[in-house]
Amino acid sequence: MKKIISFIFLFVFSNIIAQQRPKLVVGIVVDQMKMEYLYRFQSDFSDNGFKRLMNDGFTFYNMQYNYMPTYTAPGHTSIYTGTTPAMHGIVGNEWFSRKEGKEVYCTDDTSVQTLGDGTKEEGAMSPKNEQTTTITDELRLSTNFRGKVIGISMKDRASILPAGHFANWAFWYSKKGNFISSTFYGDKLPDWVNDFNAKKGYMDYINKGWNLLKPASTYDESLPDDNPYEGKLYKVDKPVFPYDLKAMYDKNDASILRAVPFGNNYLADFAKVAIEKESLGKDDITDFLAISFSSTDYVGHILGPRSMELQDTYLRLDLTIADLLNYLDKNIGKGNYLLFLTADHAGAENAQFLKANKYNVTNLDGKELTKNLEKFSTDTFGENLVLHYDSFNLFFDKTKIKTKNLDLTKVKRAFKDFLMTQDYVKRVYTEEEILANTGADYHLNCIAKGYDVTQNGDMIVLDKPGYIEYGPTGTSHGTTYSYDTNVPLLFYGWKIPKGESHDRKVITEIAPTLSQKLKITIPNGSESQVLTEILDN
């Protein structure tokens, strides 16, 4: 009898300990997803994808990015580190390096090599530029490296940066249609990855082509097909359905899959194999799978937020998420996994679309902006003092300024006065103003949180709302405005209550909240503000 009681006690106690953490955390980032899409497309979603997460989980409707620039690499890094570019150092997808005199890419690392069938450049990547720890790093440390962490995406930066410094693996998609990695993670790809690549499953999607998922009448939340605000996907004659993906593939390469909704499907296929082959969630030591769906970003950039193509991409992603949830239920078990879904940034309306509807804004050509700055400099100082302009950052050639015995403060004042005469400019902030930020100016505060003094420009330009430094078709992002900063945040699964919040929250609260939920160390750069709404269970 005593033996039976002891056995029951040990069984119950072990189960209590096991429930202190979920078996698996799944972090989903949807690239360029506006919160507004969950409103606009909701009537066309299934009951088992986004709606399941919202109805049975907790929805934060007013989640905001609290810094500028709102780009992919800083977004993914901020979600997983719980801090902003000023602290974690990923200030853009790429940025101008004064030291090297050229732009550098966020995950470039020449000390590592490609693993798998990809080009030399595609695989020479690592998280070395990420200056703080991630929630995934802290999970690895807190489990004495027994909990597995894997990051996957069609984009290198979107798999590497969330997976952190101590990840078992990060995998991303190559132009040849393979998932690759780098020697930062190991000496060779796992056999299961080679087996997955060998099947060339991407061709199944390419051979099917892309037509509307539902009857055309369903897409009344979008503009008509072939509207003037759409770009041409891989130089097709017209941006209209159906798309012959095989013809695009024959003229290009397997990278075309990224720019159509089936890139998301293929990534989900890979995710399920990763869960199975790496035995994620199969014991009581928590594992973490970081998934980033990138096709939404490519479609948004090329075809814009009002295109039928974008709506179709989200309707298909809804089904992909539903299928993934069913897979997790079956293979990990309901109540054994914790899942969150958010976005790395949102996106602007097409400026020409707004202009056609009587909003006095337009798109801006970055090259023309640079030419205007250079002309002003030559006219005013007799020489071009502009070293570089990109992504709202203006760098001065300080060597020339010193050689000409010019006062840098006066040069900045002259450029600031000039820029403030331009129709598209709302504010201009100098390095000194940014570093002296008190928090009273909302936009300056966002810029300061995204500013690394060793990597950003001498001045930051804030465009007026609605203006966009991009081409006349499609869309982009990057500003402090709500159309770029408001993203969804959905929590679902293990110990997540049903509910919703409309209070303003910031993206850097996700990582410390997960740390508290998992009872592990908070990432080292985080301000440690948390989402108490999901911590009570």
Side-chain angles (χ1 to χ4, degrees):
M1 185 67 178
K2 289 182 179 179
K3 288 184 178 180
I4 293 173
I5 292 172
S6 296
F7 176 78
I8 292 172
F9 174 78
L10 288 172
F11 177 78
V12 172
F13 181 74
S14 64
N15 274 309
I16 290 172
I17 294 297
Q19 287 303 305
Q20 294 301 305
R21 293 175 183 165
K23 292 180 180 293
L24 177 65
V25 179
V26 179
I28 296 177
V29 179
V30 182
D31 207 321
Q32 202 188 120
M33 185 177 186
K34 302 161 69 136
M35 183 64 216
E36 186 255 348
Y37 293 150
L38 287 180
Y39 304 138
R40 198 194 329 164
F41 305 144
Q42 187 167 116
S43 62
D44 301 321
F45 288 143
S46 72
D47 291 331
N48 303 311
F50 289 119
K51 285 183 180 178
R52 177 180 171 185
L53 297 179
M54 297 174 76
N55 293 336
D56 296 338
F58 200 100
T59 303
F60 292 94
Y61 288 91
N62 194 14
M63 175 55 63
Q64 301 285 340
Y65 274 86
N66 56 343
Y67 64 84
M68 174 180 165
T70 39
Y71 292 145
T72 295
H76 282 80
T77 309
S78 297
I79 291 166
Y80 280 84
T81 62
T83 189
T84 65
M87 180 60 66
H88 61 60
I90 304 298
V91 298
N93 296 333
E94 58 276 318
W95 55 86
F96 182 77
S97 169
R98 285 186 180 277
K99 182 179 179 181
E100 298 186 31
K102 63 178 183 179
E103 284 197 342
V104 296
Y105 185 64
C106 58
T107 52
D108 273 347
D109 186 350
T110 56
S111 71
V112 300
Q113 291 81 46
T114 302
L115 288 181
D117 192 7
T119 67
K120 177 182 177 181
E121 293 75 20
E122 284 180 305
M125 305 281 171
S126 84
K128 75 169 188 176
N129 293 322
E130 196 170 41
Q131 297 174 17
T132 59
T133 62
T134 60
I135 178 66
T136 46
D137 285 330
E138 298 300 344
L139 179 64
R140 290 281 283 160
L141 291 170
S142 294
T143 61
N144 199 22
F145 296 94
R146 291 178 294 170
K148 285 187 176 181
V149 167
I150 294 177
I152 63 172
S153 179
M154 302 297 274
K155 291 183 179 179
D156 45 51
R157 57 187 180 271
S159 63
I160 293 169
L161 297 169
H165 305 83
F166 309 133
N168 298 84
W169 286 101
F171 302 106
W172 54 97
Y173 188 73
S174 77
K175 295 176 182 177
K176 296 182 179 181
N178 301 301
F179 282 97
I180 62 172
S181 191
S182 81
T183 53
F184 179 84
Y185 302 98
D187 297 328
K188 63 177 184 177
L189 286 180
D191 290 340
W192 66 264
V193 178
N194 289 323
D195 292 342
F196 182 91
N197 288 334
K199 295 176 182 177
K200 297 186 181 296
Y202 62 89
M203 288 304 303
D204 294 337
Y205 294 109
I206 288 173
N207 287 329
K208 289 178 183 177
W210 181 17
N211 207 343
L212 290 173
L213 176 67
K214 296 187 176 185
S217 59
T218 305
Y219 298 79
D220 55 356
E221 293 90 356
S222 302
L223 294 175
D225 212 1
D226 194 18
N227 66 74
Y229 315 111
E230 296 179 293
K232 293 181 178 180
L233 188 63
Y234 283 92
K235 299 180 180 180
V236 295
D237 292 335
K238 287 187 176 182
V240 296
F241 288 101
Y243 285 92
D244 186 343
L245 301 184
K246 183 61 167 58
M248 290 183 195
Y249 170 77
D250 290 340
K251 293 178 181 179
N252 297 277
D253 52 42
S255 63
I256 69 156
L257 195 68
R258 294 189 181 110
V260 296
F262 308 114
N264 294 333
N265 294 81
Y266 198 48
L267 186 71
D269 295 341
F270 187 70
K272 288 183 283 188
V273 176
I275 291 170
E276 177 190 351
K277 298 300 183 181
E278 292 290 339
S279 298
L280 301 182
K282 295 302 183 183
D283 56 30
D284 292 333
I285 301 172
T286 302
D287 300 317
F288 202 122
L289 178 63
I291 305 172
S292 179
F293 290 112
S294 305
S295 295
T296 45
D297 185 63
Y298 288 98
V299 175
H301 274 299
I302 297 169
L303 293 147
R306 297 282 165 179
S307 65
M308 292 173 70
E309 287 85 350
L310 187 85
Q311 183 173 353
D312 195 70
T313 297
Y314 275 94
L315 299 190
R316 291 178 183 276
L317 178 59
D318 175 64
L319 298 180
T320 299
I321 289 172
D323 178 68
L324 181 60
L325 291 173
N326 289 335
Y327 178 87
L328 292 169
D329 289 344
K330 181 179 179 180
N331 292 276
I332 309 300
K334 287 185 177 181
N336 288 330
Y337 64 92
L338 189 161
L339 181 147
F340 71 88
L341 183 148
T342 189
D344 56 344
H345 52 74
E349 293 283 1
N350 176 274
Q352 292 300 317
F353 165 71
L354 295 178
K355 186 175 182 178
N357 285 278
K358 301 182 181 180
Y359 187 176
N360 186 28
V361 295
T362 190
N363 65 293
L364 306 167
D365 185 329
K367 292 182 179 179
E368 285 301 314
L369 298 183
T370 301
K371 287 180 181 178
N372 290 340
L373 289 168
E374 292 173 346
K375 183 178 185 304
F376 167 76
S377 181
T378 303
D379 291 345
T380 306
F381 299 103
E383 193 163 358
N384 176 26
L385 304 178
V386 176
L387 184 63
H388 187 79
Y389 177 79
D390 186 46
S391 301
F392 317 108
N393 281 254
L394 174 57
F395 293 82
F396 293 116
D397 191 328
K398 293 180 179 177
T399 301
K400 284 185 181 179
I401 291 172
K402 185 176 182 180
T403 300
K404 290 180 68 68
N405 293 317
L406 294 171
D407 186 328
L408 179 58
T409 302
K410 291 181 179 179
V411 171
K412 289 181 179 181
R413 170 53 60 184
F415 271 87
K416 183 172 183 176
D417 290 345
F418 168 71
L419 281 163
M420 289 303 299
T421 67
Q422 305 302 297
D423 289 340
Y424 67 92
V425 174
K426 183 67 176 179
R427 301 276 178 84
V428 181
Y429 298 100
T430 65
E431 175 186 338
E432 292 78 11
E433 291 169 326
I434 295 167
L435 296 179
N437 168 53
T438 64
D441 180 334
Y442 171 80
H443 298 288
L444 174 56
N445 193 43
C446 287
I447 289 170
K449 286 181 177 294
Y451 190 87
D452 184 328
V453 69
T454 65
Q455 299 180 122
N456 282 100
D458 300 294
M459 301 176 77
I460 303 292
V461 180
L462 177 66
D463 299 338
K464 289 178 180 176
Y467 283 85
I468 186 170
E469 296 186 16
Y470 202 65
T473 59
T475 193
S476 193
H477 45 84
T479 73
T480 62
Y481 301 120
S482 60
Y483 50 76
D484 284 339
T485 62
N486 185 203
V487 298
L489 175 59
L490 316 176
F491 276 95
Y492 175 86
W494 180 83
K495 291 193 174 183
I496 298 297
K498 294 183 183 180
E500 62 183 39
S501 171
H502 294 273
D503 293 338
R504 184 181 189 274
K505 307 294 183 180
V506 293
I507 205 72
T508 50
E509 292 174 317
I510 296 174
T513 299
L514 284 171
S515 296
Q516 295 285 285
K517 196 80 175 172
L518 300 177
K519 294 180 171 58
I520 63 175
T521 306
I522 291 172
N524 61 18
S526 174
E527 295 178 6
S528 303
Q529 294 174 315
V530 297
L531 303 165
T532 56
E533 293 88 342
I534 66 163
L535 291 176
D536 294 335
N537 276 32

